[in-house]
Amino acid sequence: MGYRTRMIPLLLSLGLMSSCSKEVTEQTAEIFAMNTLISMNIWGIDSNEALQQSENYIYSVEDKFSTTRVESDIYTVNQQAGNWVTVAEEVIYVLDYALTMTEETNNCFSPMMFPLVELWGFTQPRQQVPDPAEIKAVLPYIDTALLEIDYENNMVRIEEGAKLDLGGITKGYVGDVLATSLRDSGVTSALISLGGNIYTLGKKPDGSFWNIGIQNPYGAGSVGSVTVYDRAIITSGGYQRYFIQGDETFWHIIDPISGYPAKSGLASVTIISESGIYGDCLSTALFVMGLEDAIAFWRNRQDFDVVFITDEGDIYITPDLREHFTLSKGYQSGELKEILP
Ligand code: AMP
Ligand code: MG
């Protein structure tokens, strides 16, 4: 890791221009990108131009971060294992962030998960439970020591056998970039949904808070909702991508230590934080940790809020959400509990 010499404190600007026009308008768009449905509702001056820039940016992200798109930066690093590969500066930023979070979450989050994700078939139309020997064989490659970053030259190298996957962090990062750029371009309110990962910019145009539903992991509708503004609301859940084999369900969030889908007793974890990239790493990592360790992690930091839903249907919220979380009428699968600081 000799090249890890410098942090890159930047969020790339989209280069949106402010406008002299005074009219606040609403623009909406729905696009399919990053393997998910993305919707944007934007209010502000020149919001049409801002929306167009946002769409262009989202498409450019795929060309850098996709594990499956041939010639994306990450795809190329994975194909060229053993060699140094030049990547976009924002790929370096996200990788560096991921490395820090790997350390801070005691390896529950890892940017090195692709060998396991591939083995479980989550890049394929069909998934299957791998042979235990195959899982054992790739576990040594789930190790950030096999990733080197040359910060001076924006280059990355992984050792042969290792493969990167930033799928657990990219959407949160993109939410941050979009929000920063939209704000800079005069947008006063925006609701961005990247496959259910929400970013709220400002308050609603009428000045009230946004009311964001939290998906019921066991069925249609939401277990409840949170009122927020200027926050990312990011959920990781076993119900989001999974397959059933025999009578067991296997999902896409994998424990880097065991190599198996993380069965930690949690059905979903929703992080509410100012920073989307932080919330995205944490939603994945805390899902892997399980309730007890995740609560301990929150107690140590207290710089985010969280809604946990357990396999039993109980809902745990952090204390600041007491005034901001409303249980859905008719939700009877479990109890609502407040975590003590
Ligand atoms: P998320 O929906 O943010 O929880 O991210 C899940 C995606 O991140 C999966 O589809 C994998 O591509 C990748 N992933 C799975 N397990 C992990 C993990 N333990 N750490 C980091 N990324 C992971
Ligand atoms: Mg995540």
Side-chain angles (χ1 to χ4, degrees):
M1 210 88 72
Y3 287 91
R4 281 199 66 200
T5 52
R6 181 162 71 87
M7 291 283 284
I8 300 189
L10 88 171
L11 277 182
L12 297 185
S13 158
L14 303 186
L16 295 173
M17 303 290 288
S18 293
S19 162
C20 301
S21 151
K22 296 262 182 321
E23 202 186 341
V24 172
T25 56
E26 180 187 359
Q27 298 290 334
T28 62
E30 270 193 356
I31 57 173
F32 193 84
M34 302 169 70
N35 287 324
T36 196
L37 185 66
I38 298 177
S39 67
M40 292 182 280
N41 294 57
I42 294 173
W43 291 261
I45 295 159
D46 251 357
S47 55
N48 191 24
E49 188 192 338
L51 193 69
Q52 201 52 55
Q53 296 266 14
S54 300
E55 279 188 35
N56 294 344
Y57 173 70
I58 289 166
Y59 290 126
S60 80
V61 167
E62 287 194 306
D63 294 333
K64 295 170 189 157
F65 289 91
S66 168
T67 48
T68 51
R69 177 171 292 212
V70 176
E71 290 182 4
S72 86
D73 291 9
I74 293 296
Y75 183 92
T76 309
V77 171
N78 289 347
Q79 289 299 308
Q80 298 281 321
N83 299 310
W84 285 101
V85 175
T86 303
V87 298
E89 198 172 356
E90 61 181 335
V91 172
I92 302 277
Y93 170 77
V94 175
L95 271 175
D96 183 73
Y97 198 99
L99 285 176
T100 303
M101 292 308 290
T102 304
E103 269 174 48
E104 297 194 4
T105 63
N106 198 16
N107 288 308
C108 287
F109 183 92
S110 173
M112 313 298 293
M113 295 298 283
F114 203 58
L116 284 168
V117 171
E118 262 188 323
L119 201 52
W120 282 90
F122 284 109
T123 54
Q124 312 292 329
R126 274 180 61 88
Q127 291 84 39
Q128 70 289 312
V129 177
D131 191 320
E134 291 179 291
I135 293 178
K136 207 172 159 207
V138 301
L139 283 180
Y141 298 104
I142 315 301
D143 185 348
T144 52
L146 307 181
L147 164 65
E148 286 175 285
I149 301 178
D150 175 350
Y151 290 89
E152 299 306 320
N153 300 301
N154 287 342
M155 293 178 94
V156 172
R157 182 168 73 128
I158 53 173
E159 282 189 26
E160 273 179 66
K163 287 182 180 181
L164 303 176
D165 179 0
L166 295 174
I169 180 172
T170 307
K171 289 191 197 104
Y173 165 73
V174 169
D176 288 338
V177 175
L178 292 175
T180 302
S181 302
L182 291 170
R183 206 175 270 120
D184 288 353
S185 71
V187 168
T188 44
S189 297
L191 185 68
I192 303 161
S193 168
L194 300 130
N197 291 316
I198 309 285
Y199 208 108
T200 59
L201 186 164
K203 292 183 182 148
K204 281 163 68 174
D206 67 5
S208 62
F209 287 25
W210 305 93
N211 196 26
I212 307 296
I214 295 178
Q215 173 73 41
N216 183 346
Y218 303 103
S222 55
V223 299
S225 59
V226 284
T227 49
V228 288
Y229 69 96
D230 282 329
R231 287 287 182 282
I233 302 98
I234 299 194
T235 301
S236 289
Y239 63 89
Q240 291 169 334
R241 266 166 74 201
Y242 63 89
F243 66 96
I244 297 170
Q245 191 169 315
D247 51 11
E248 230 187 308
T249 304
F250 300 91
W251 45 69
H252 67 302
I253 303 169
I254 300 173
D255 180 339
I257 306 298
S258 71
Y260 283 78
K263 298 215 167 166
S264 63
L266 290 172
S268 75
V269 176
T270 299
I271 306 290
I272 298 141
S273 54
E274 270 179 60
S275 155
I277 193 170
Y278 185 53
D280 204 355
C281 286
L282 290 186
S283 68
T284 311
L286 270 55
F287 186 94
V288 173
M289 270 178 214
L291 187 64
E292 206 177 309
D293 288 355
I295 288 177
F297 184 91
W298 173 80
R299 284 203 178 107
N300 270 331
R301 303 197 154 224
Q302 306 202 19
D303 56 358
F304 61 95
D305 281 304
V306 52
V307 178
F308 297 106
I309 305 177
T310 69
D311 284 345
E312 289 75 39
D314 291 332
I315 301 170
Y316 288 77
I317 59 170
T318 41
D320 285 350
L321 292 180
R322 188 190 309 141
E323 307 294 324
H324 296 280
F325 180 86
T326 308
L327 201 60
S328 290
K329 281 197 180 69
Y331 183 79
Q332 289 172 338
S333 307
E335 282 178 51
L336 177 62
K337 302 179 186 193
E338 193 181 307
I339 296 165
L340 298 174

